[in-house]
Amino acid sequence: QVQLVESGGGLVQAGGSLRLSCAASGRTSSIYTMGWFRQAPGKKREFVAAIKWSGGITRYADSVTGRFTCSRDSAKNTVYLQMNSLKPEDTGVYYCAAGISRTIAPMSTDDYYDYWGRGTQVTVSS
């Protein structure tokens, strides 16, 4: 089992920055990939970014490429999402997810991941 706890959300002005953290505990050695998703009110949850735990290879949604950076700290079992040049469209609840093993689903889909955090709210004002 893996437990995930997000933190770092808050209210920020457009053009500002926030850094989200996701601390993993439990059987962290089983994690292959860590991902970030977000959900705006009344909308479906969408993929934001992902990182392979061992190699550090990252993938980003087109909407955040060049503005967001995903990184990891293996010693702390923590993954980060640095968000720069924030826009009101970035507003939503941000979720951390952990993928444990291979699946037929792409890394950018919900079905790829086995464990989810409860989310942290990000609000960007205009």
Side-chain angles (χ1 to χ4, degrees):
Q1 299 79 25
V2 174
Q3 296 81 43
L4 305 172
V5 180
E6 304 97 333
S7 62
L11 175 65
V12 65
Q13 191 79 16
S17 299
L18 284 173
R19 188 183 72 161
L20 305 183
S21 299
C22 176
S25 60
R27 292 185 175 271
T28 57
S29 61
S30 67
I31 298 174
Y32 289 178
T33 306
M34 298 285 287
W36 288 97
F37 291 75
R38 67 187 182 189
Q39 187 170 25
K43 296 185 178 180
K44 292 283 190 178
R45 185 162 57 190
E46 65 176 350
F47 171 77
V48 176
I51 184 169
K52 287 188 175 181
W53 193 249
S54 60
I57 298 172
T58 55
R59 178 179 176 178
Y60 301 94
D62 290 343
S63 59
V64 306
T65 296
R67 300 188 297 120
F68 291 11
T69 303
C70 190
S71 61
R72 73 196 191 284
D73 186 334
S74 297
K76 296 181 178 180
N77 290 319
T78 300
V79 64
Y80 303 96
L81 185 67
Q82 178 67 46
M83 305 185 295
N84 298 326
S85 301
L86 282 163
K87 306 174 182 179
E89 306 92 90
D90 296 317
T91 294
V93 177
Y94 282 68
Y95 298 91
C96 179
I100 303 303
S101 61
R102 294 186 303 166
T103 74
I104 61 172
M107 194 179 301
S108 58
T109 65
D110 290 18
D111 290 345
Y112 181 90
Y113 299 91
D114 303 283
Y115 300 96
W116 294 81
R118 294 187 180 276
T120 184
Q121 184 178 354
V122 172
T123 303
V124 184
S125 62
S126 60

